[in-house]
Amino acid sequence: MAKLWVVSQALPRGGASPPRLLALVRRAIRLRHYSRRTEEAYVAWIRRFVRFHGMRHPAQLAEQDVARFLTSLAVERGVSASTQNQALSALLFLYHAVLDRPLGVFRGLVRARQAKRLPVVLTREEVAAVLGAMRRTPQLVAALLYGSGLRLLEALQLRVKDIDARRGEIVVRGGKGDRDRVTMLPAVVVGPLERHLDAVQALHQRDLARGTGHVALPAALGRKFPNAATEWRWQWVFPAGREFVDAATKERRRHHVHETVIQRAFRDAVQRAGIAKRATCHSLRHSFATHLLEDGHDIRTVQELLGHRDVSTTMIYTHVLNRGGRRVRSPADRLVEPGVLAGVPHLGGRLRQRLPLPIPPAQSK
């Protein structure tokens, strides 16, 4: 790769080369405690932006160059509005937080079309079929996604201390937007989860006996409490099967289960259950919210359990409730009621009784 990732050509004291652009971006993101997913997305968009402009440094580009890149995403690449907005956020962050040159007005920018999509929601029977087709850890994770309304990464990043079986609660730490919240722990999951934690604790004891058993800690907690990395309460609820060597500390650590493990297991379970919907792990969270509203719970409660900042985000689930989302019964359903029209054909194709067609009266000549 061409060496153009430096902000300045001037060498710092001691003759060391200056930090490259992407390193500065990562540093600025971590200073603001953005999520790992945000860091990966921003770095990827900045890299694509530089390559789009022939490997020129962003400090040499202006607003019209940013607008041209964003327009190409909408016109030539056909990306969605949310994807274009993510690219715009990455570039705004680059110029404001890294280059210290906030961008002005974008002239001639073509916006991607904002499409309104409804979430994919599974019925209760479909959820039961999918969970029944899963086994072991993926099944337990999927049960938490549906029973607690967790996002996939929120479930995989749970630590032992975040589970309170007696109170029936799960504390989600650093969720989307770096916000904490409390959600329910389904009673049906308590028994399997406790047996799972017994096995995880036995694995942790074996790791400690081998001189490992370390886990990554949030922020600067590891420096404040050096022994916390091996404490049971800080361990992942769903640890990975393999250890890895941390590049910075040289410690052998165990990460949590990777998202793709659960995603593949869920996709296979959907196929085995014979469900034609384009369901993903996130569909279980959508189903959690929809089924709570169907059961009569108020939307503010559902908003808090999901961790939505604005209730308008939660309102999307009112459009996917049974009977069209408005509790309105279709007039077609009344055709098959007793005493209305007994001759309406069944959906299966059989006819009970054909009604005679009305015969118009004979016209006098």
Side-chain angles (χ1 to χ4, degrees):
M1 182 181 294
K3 296 182 179 180
L4 52 79
W5 302 101
V6 294
V7 176
S8 173
Q9 296 298 327
L11 292 177
R13 295 179 180 179
S17 60
R20 298 189 178 183
L21 180 64
L22 292 186
L24 294 174
V25 171
R26 293 183 187 276
R27 183 186 303 172
I29 290 175
R30 293 173 186 179
L31 283 174
R32 291 161 177 79
H33 301 289
Y34 287 5
S35 69
R36 177 173 58 87
R37 292 291 185 84
T38 301
E39 177 181 332
E40 293 173 354
Y42 279 18
V43 168
W45 281 119
I46 292 170
R47 183 180 286 116
R48 290 179 63 176
F49 174 66
V50 173
R51 289 176 177 172
F52 178 83
H53 288 290
M55 305 303 287
R56 294 173 61 192
H57 196 281
Q60 303 171 357
L61 304 174
E63 285 78 2
Q64 62 269 22
D65 300 305
V66 176
R68 189 156 60 91
F69 171 69
L70 296 174
T71 299
S72 72
L73 293 178
V75 176
E76 300 172 12
R77 306 289 295 180
V79 303
S80 65
S82 59
T83 301
Q84 189 188 43
N85 288 335
Q86 186 187 68
L88 174 59
S89 299
L91 297 179
L92 290 175
F93 180 86
L94 168 67
Y95 280 91
H96 176 75
V98 179
L99 300 181
D100 195 21
R101 200 193 82 189
L103 293 173
V105 179
F106 298 106
R107 301 187 183 278
L109 172 62
V110 177
R111 284 285 190 178
R113 182 178 178 182
Q114 182 72 45
K116 294 184 178 180
R117 306 294 184 192
L118 292 178
V120 176
V121 175
L122 301 175
T123 65
R124 300 171 197 263
E125 294 77 14
E126 289 171 338
V127 172
V130 172
L131 294 181
M134 302 179 74
R135 296 292 182 270
R136 296 184 292 275
T137 298
Q139 183 190 53
L140 189 55
V141 173
L144 287 177
L145 300 185
Y146 174 68
S148 305
L150 301 177
R151 300 177 179 89
L152 178 56
L153 201 57
E154 289 175 347
L156 296 181
Q157 290 181 341
L158 287 175
R159 298 179 189 264
V160 174
K161 65 182 182 61
D162 299 329
I163 306 294
D164 192 340
R166 290 188 178 182
R167 294 177 57 89
E169 293 180 350
I170 296 177
V171 180
V172 180
R173 307 284 184 183
K176 190 173 183 179
D178 198 22
R179 298 189 301 273
D180 296 352
R181 75 178 189 277
V182 178
T183 187
M184 64 184 72
L185 174 64
V188 70
V189 179
V190 171
L193 185 59
E194 288 179 343
R195 292 190 293 271
H196 169 79
L197 288 176
D198 289 340
V200 173
Q201 188 170 22
L203 174 65
H204 179 56
Q205 293 298 329
R206 291 195 297 270
D207 289 344
L208 291 176
R210 293 187 295 106
T212 58
H214 294 80
V215 68
L217 296 176
L221 193 64
R223 292 193 297 271
K224 295 180 181 178
F225 307 101
N227 297 326
T230 58
E231 293 180 1
W232 164 238
R233 59 177 177 171
W234 285 103
Q235 302 305 307
W236 303 115
V237 173
F238 302 106
R242 297 180 180 179
E243 294 178 325
F244 72 99
V245 178
D246 183 71
T249 64
K250 307 303 180 182
E251 295 174 341
R252 293 190 65 85
R253 294 180 174 178
R254 196 178 291 276
H255 199 49
H256 60 71
V257 173
H258 198 269
E259 306 96 286
T260 56
V261 175
I262 312 300
Q263 290 167 343
R264 285 195 299 265
F266 182 84
R267 183 174 61 249
D268 294 341
V270 170
Q271 293 177 352
R272 287 196 298 271
I275 298 174
K277 296 177 180 178
R278 192 180 178 183
T280 64
C281 291
H282 206 66
S283 301
L284 295 175
R285 175 175 160 91
H286 295 322
S287 304
F288 164 83
T290 304
H291 296 166
L292 282 181
L293 293 174
E294 287 179 349
D295 291 339
H297 296 283
D298 65 277
I299 197 166
R300 291 290 184 179
T301 299
V302 178
Q303 176 193 359
E304 291 184 8
L305 293 174
L306 292 176
H308 288 162
R309 181 176 297 176
D310 195 332
V311 72
S312 62
T313 307
T314 317
M315 288 292 293
I316 187 66
Y317 299 111
T318 62
H319 299 290
V320 292
L321 293 175
N322 289 337
R323 299 178 185 175
R326 301 182 186 275
R327 297 293 179 182
V328 178
R329 188 175 184 187
S330 170
D333 291 335
R334 296 191 178 277
L335 296 180
V336 294
E337 288 183 351
V340 180
L341 288 178
V344 178
H346 288 291
L347 293 179
R350 295 183 299 169
L351 299 179
R352 281 186 289 181
Q353 177 185 354
R354 291 187 179 276
L355 290 179
L357 295 176
I359 301 175
Q363 299 180 356
S364 59
K365 295 183 180 180

